[in-house]
């Protein structure tokens, strides 16, 4: 059953319920109103009759003109003393008569209503036939049922028309969504108001746009990886050809080894990024951050390390943190063009804070962070910066600097920073970037192990 059919059935059932409730409330209100009106008249009249008899002016009694009213008199034990006309038909039971007092009370019977009150030496009762109320109720009921029998199909027809008209935008949007697929990620056209349907279409369009951008990034990434792999593999093939002719060429062998190591690292980074290993496979140990950075810096002779006397310790995976530092230093060396133009600076923020400061910020630099949507907990921090004296990063590149498959500002495949972001997030930290012409600074904040008392 379609959504439109379920909606029509639900509203039709609601319409039937509304009509039934309207009929019941109308009949109940009419009956209550008519019976209440008769009761008020009878109570007032029996009070007047009792007052006239008590004052000796019984001859002044006049029957109301609103209906066939009968005045009867009973003895204190319930026997009838005077019952003119329909008095015997409108007899009040003895138990009610014996319980009568000076206050007027009503009595309801199937076809009449009475009001009775005690007077000196007797009980007076005033009654009126109520079958005309039943006739009025039956007439009103029949009229309402006939009217609702006409309104029921008319309302159902209007519900069907209203449902069809109101669901036209939803039906069109559903058809457009059904046409979408891996090869068609165009946005869904929608010109209606920004109601629930408008918000849903907007979110679907956002998702389609993100999927389209992801496909474009993947295509660009595959093209760049193919190019990046083709170059070292071609060089490696040439070196191996030269070695086949001269196996004792140590220089050629060393170059071949470096190219093979570079290619293996590139493939390893690609697999780590694709599998999300940097986020999942963290094996925590107590790591001396300065020792780890000294090892990473040692792989790039010429890079300077500036460390404080007290070595900060963090809880993390030494292999992953070494990979993070190595990627940042490699990017910095490539951007600066020389290891001598790169330095690594280490410091600590021992005061617990949820936004650790960077004391080396300046007003003329452009800044961004790897995790702008995250809110860090209040804690002390271990910090290190990788600073290069390269040309800087263009401001339009900064927002997508850590995006997967995005090409880095200094060339390459765009894998290093994406993996560095994963590793920092997996350790509860973040990476900030600040750049200006002549200097770029990547600053990594990691939770600092508290000092033991």
């Amino acid at each position: 059953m379609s959504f439109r059919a379920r909606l029509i059935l639900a509203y039709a059932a609601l319409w039937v319920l509304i009509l039934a409730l309207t009929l019941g409330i109308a009949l109940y209100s009419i009956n209550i109103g008519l019976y209440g009106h008769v009761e008020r008249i009878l109570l007032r009249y029996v009070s007047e009759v009792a007052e006239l008899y008590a004052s000796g002016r019984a001859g002044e009694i006049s029957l109301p003109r609103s209906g066939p009213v009968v005045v009867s008199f009973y003895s204190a034990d319930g026997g009838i003393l005077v019952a003119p006309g329909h008095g015997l038909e409108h007899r009040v039971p003895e138990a009610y008569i014996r319980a009568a007092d000076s206050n007027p009370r009503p009595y309801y019977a199937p076809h009449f209503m009475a009001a009775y009150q005690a007077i000196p030496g007797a009980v007076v009762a005033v009654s009126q036939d109520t079958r005309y109320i039943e006739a009025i109720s039956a007439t009103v009921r029949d009229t309402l049922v006939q009217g609702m029998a006409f309104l029921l199909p008319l309302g159902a027809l209007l519900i069907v028309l209203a449902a069809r008209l109101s669901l036209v935008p939803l039906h069109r949007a559903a058809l457009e969504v059904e046409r979408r697929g891996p090869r068609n990620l165009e946005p869904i056209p929608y010109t209606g108001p920004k109601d629930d349907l408008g918000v849903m279409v907007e979110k679907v369009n956002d998702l389609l746009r993100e999927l389209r951008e992801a496909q474009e990034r993947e295509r660009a990434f595959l093209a760049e990886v193919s190019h990046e792999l083709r170059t070292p593999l071609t060089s490696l093939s040439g070196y191996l050809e030269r070695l086949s002719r001269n196996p004792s060429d140590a220089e050629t062998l060393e170059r071949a080894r470096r190219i093979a190591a570079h290619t293996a690292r590139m493939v390893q980074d690609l697999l780590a990024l694709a599998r999300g290993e940097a986020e999942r496979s963290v094996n925590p140990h107590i790591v001396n951050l300065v020792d780890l950075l000294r090892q990473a810096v040692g792989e790039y002779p010429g890079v300077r390390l500036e460390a404080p006397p007290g070595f900060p310790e963090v809880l993390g995976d030494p292999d992953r943190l070494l990979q993070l530092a190595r990627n940042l230093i490699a990017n910095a060396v490539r951007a600066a063009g020389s290891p001598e133009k790169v330095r690594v600076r280490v410091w600590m923020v021992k005061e617990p804070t949820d936004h650790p400061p960077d004391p080396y910020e300046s007003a003329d630099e452009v800044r961004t962070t790897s995790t702008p949507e995250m809110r860090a907990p209040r804690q002390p921090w271990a910090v290190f910066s990788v600073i290069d004296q390269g040309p800087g990063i263009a401001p339009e590149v900064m927002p997508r600097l850590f995006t997967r498959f995005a090409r880095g500002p200094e060339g390459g495949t765009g894998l290093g920073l994406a993996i560095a972001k994963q590793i920092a997030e997996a350790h509860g930290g973040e990476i900030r970037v600040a750049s200006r012409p002549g200097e770029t600074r990547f600053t990594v904040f990691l939770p600092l192990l508290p000092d033991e008392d």
Side-chain angles (χ1 to χ4, degrees):
M1 183 180 295
S2 66
F3 175 74
R4 178 184 296 173
R6 293 199 304 271
L7 184 65
I8 291 174
L9 288 178
Y11 278 111
L14 181 61
W15 177 239
V16 172
L17 179 61
I18 290 174
L19 291 180
L21 288 176
T22 302
L23 177 61
I25 293 173
L27 293 178
Y28 178 78
S29 300
I30 291 172
N31 286 335
I32 290 296
L34 291 175
Y35 279 108
H37 178 69
V38 172
E39 178 183 329
R40 288 190 297 271
I41 290 177
L42 294 178
L43 289 174
R44 184 174 67 250
Y45 187 63
V46 76
S47 297
E48 294 176 358
V49 171
E51 183 179 353
L52 290 175
Y53 267 92
S55 61
R57 294 179 293 158
E60 299 181 10
I61 297 176
S62 60
L63 296 177
R65 299 178 181 179
S66 60
V69 176
V70 177
V71 180
S72 303
F73 292 90
Y74 297 82
S75 62
D77 58 358
I80 296 179
L81 298 178
V82 179
H86 298 284
L88 295 177
E89 297 178 5
H90 298 175
R91 183 168 182 174
V92 180
E94 294 180 358
Y96 289 87
I97 296 300
R98 287 195 295 268
D101 53 22
S102 59
N103 296 318
R105 296 181 181 180
Y107 170 72
Y108 287 86
H111 300 297
F112 74 95
M113 184 188 303
Y116 58 94
Q117 180 179 346
I119 59 176
V123 176
V124 61
V126 179
S127 60
Q128 180 175 337
D129 196 288
T130 57
R131 279 175 286 194
Y132 78 96
I133 297 178
E134 298 172 4
I136 293 175
S137 297
T139 302
V140 172
R141 182 185 64 247
D142 294 341
T143 303
L144 290 176
V145 168
Q146 293 174 2
M148 291 182 179
F150 170 75
L151 291 176
L152 182 61
L154 178 61
L157 178 60
L158 293 177
I159 287 173
V160 171
L161 293 177
R164 286 183 175 275
L165 292 176
S166 61
L167 292 178
V168 166
L170 179 61
H171 182 65
R172 291 176 179 173
L175 290 179
E176 291 292 338
V177 171
E178 189 176 1
R179 295 192 186 102
R180 297 303 182 268
R183 298 184 179 180
N184 182 11
L185 297 176
E186 294 300 318
I188 298 172
Y190 180 75
T191 58
K194 194 173 181 179
D195 50 8
D196 293 343
L197 177 59
V199 173
M200 182 182 68
V201 172
E202 182 181 357
K203 296 302 181 183
V204 171
N205 286 337
D206 292 342
L207 178 60
L208 291 174
R209 185 184 66 254
E210 292 178 0
L211 290 175
R212 189 167 60 250
E213 293 175 354
Q215 284 187 349
E216 294 173 356
R217 289 196 301 267
E218 288 179 5
R219 284 194 292 267
F221 168 75
L222 291 175
E224 291 184 2
V225 168
S226 299
H227 174 74
E228 292 290 336
L229 289 177
R230 185 184 299 114
T231 300
L233 289 177
T234 302
S235 300
L236 183 60
S237 177
Y239 288 135
L240 291 176
E241 180 67 23
R242 290 172 59 181
L243 285 173
S244 66
R245 295 193 300 267
N246 185 10
S248 61
D249 190 346
E251 182 180 356
T252 301
L253 179 60
E254 181 61 26
R255 290 179 179 178
R257 286 175 176 172
R258 285 201 300 267
I259 291 177
H262 172 73
T263 305
R265 181 174 297 175
M266 182 187 303
V267 174
Q268 183 181 2
D269 287 347
L270 175 61
L271 292 176
L273 183 63
R275 297 171 181 171
E277 291 180 355
E279 294 178 348
R280 297 195 300 266
S281 58
V282 173
N283 187 17
H285 294 78
I286 296 179
V287 179
N288 187 302
L289 188 58
V290 174
D291 289 344
L292 184 142
L293 292 174
R294 187 177 290 115
Q295 179 180 351
V297 168
E299 299 178 11
Y300 300 89
V303 177
R304 301 191 311 276
L305 176 62
E306 302 173 3
F311 294 162
E313 291 182 335
V314 298
L315 185 64
D317 189 323
D319 293 334
R320 296 298 180 191
L321 292 177
L322 182 60
Q323 184 182 12
L324 184 155
R326 184 186 291 129
N327 286 349
L328 294 181
I329 296 173
N331 286 343
V333 171
R334 185 162 50 247
S338 171
E340 287 74 16
K341 296 181 180 180
V342 177
R343 67 183 185 276
V344 179
R345 179 183 292 149
V346 186
W347 74 92
M348 291 180 286
V349 180
K350 294 186 176 181
E351 188 67 25
T353 177
D354 55 3
H355 187 75
D358 184 351
Y360 303 100
E361 290 182 352
S362 62
D364 59 341
E365 60 188 16
V366 180
R367 292 183 291 272
T368 188
T369 179
S370 63
T371 54
E373 72 283 354
M374 295 180 63
R375 182 70 173 176
R378 292 182 61 85
Q379 58 190 7
W381 300 89
V383 192
F384 72 91
S385 287
V386 179
I387 308 163
D388 69 75
Q389 299 176 9
I393 303 174
E396 61 272 13
V397 177
M398 295 287 278
R400 56 184 178 87
L401 198 59
F402 294 96
T403 305
R404 291 185 178 186
F405 310 121
R407 190 179 182 90
E410 71 288 333
T413 61
L415 297 178
L417 292 181
I419 294 176
K421 174 181 181 294
Q422 284 190 355
I423 296 173
E425 291 178 356
H427 287 79
E430 67 175 17
I431 303 177
R432 297 182 196 167
V433 185
S435 184
R436 59 184 176 181
E439 181 181 293
T440 298
R441 184 176 67 257
F442 284 82
T443 305
V444 180
F445 296 86
L446 299 171
L448 178 67
L449 280 179
D451 295 333
E452 296 184 359
D453 296 334

